[in-house]
């Protein structure tokens, strides 16, 4: 009797459980917003030069930049040097 009850409960749970996940449809990209990064994340790459660091960052697929220009570089020079199709949503004029 005990085994029959356990089997009945397991069968009922299997019937009631959803057969398909509704969280994400197959083929939908997981990330549907622009991918951004903070300048501090790449603090060790800035010493190699701004263009070199930006090349590495662009190859990784980032499209938005948050934070300020690296130390010793003005914001205007940094944006001009970036020369990439990036958005700078939170770069501050007087950050450094």
């Amino acid at each position: 009797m005990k085994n029959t009850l356990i089997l009945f409960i397991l069968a009922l749970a299997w019937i009631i459980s959803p057969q398909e996940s509704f969280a994400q449809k197959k083929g939908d990209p997981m990330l549907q917003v622009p991918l951004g990064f903070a300048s501090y994340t790449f603090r060790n790459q800035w010493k190699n030069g701004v263009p070199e660091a930006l090349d590495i960052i662009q190859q990784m697929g980032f499209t938005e930049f948050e934070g300020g220009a690296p130390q010793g570089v003005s914001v205007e020079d940094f944006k001009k040097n970036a020369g990439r199709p990036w958005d700078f949503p939170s770069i501050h004029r007087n950050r450094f």
Side-chain angles (χ1 to χ4, degrees):
M1 180 71 178
K2 188 176 181 181
N3 288 341
T4 307
L5 182 61
I6 291 174
L7 286 175
F8 177 73
I9 292 172
L10 287 175
L12 186 63
W14 179 74
I15 291 170
I16 293 174
S17 67
Q19 302 298 322
E20 185 177 315
S21 173
F22 297 107
Q24 183 177 354
K25 300 292 182 203
K26 188 171 184 163
D28 284 348
M30 267 180 72
L31 187 64
Q32 298 181 3
V33 296
L35 187 60
F37 69 97
S39 62
Y40 187 76
T41 306
F42 294 94
R43 62 192 172 278
N44 295 327
Q45 280 71 32
W46 295 122
K47 62 186 172 194
N48 298 331
V50 173
E52 291 80 8
L54 293 175
D55 288 340
I56 292 169
I57 294 166
Q58 186 175 14
Q59 289 173 358
M60 295 175 83
F62 291 106
T63 58
E64 289 197 359
F65 179 87
E66 294 203 15
Q71 206 163 16
V73 179
S74 71
V75 173
E76 289 78 19
D77 288 342
F78 180 72
K79 283 185 176 181
K80 182 174 57 175
N81 196 7
R84 291 156 171 81
W86 289 348
D87 187 23
F88 297 90
S90 68
I91 196 164
H92 302 288
R93 183 171 293 278
N94 298 322
R95 176 101 183 193
F96 293 104

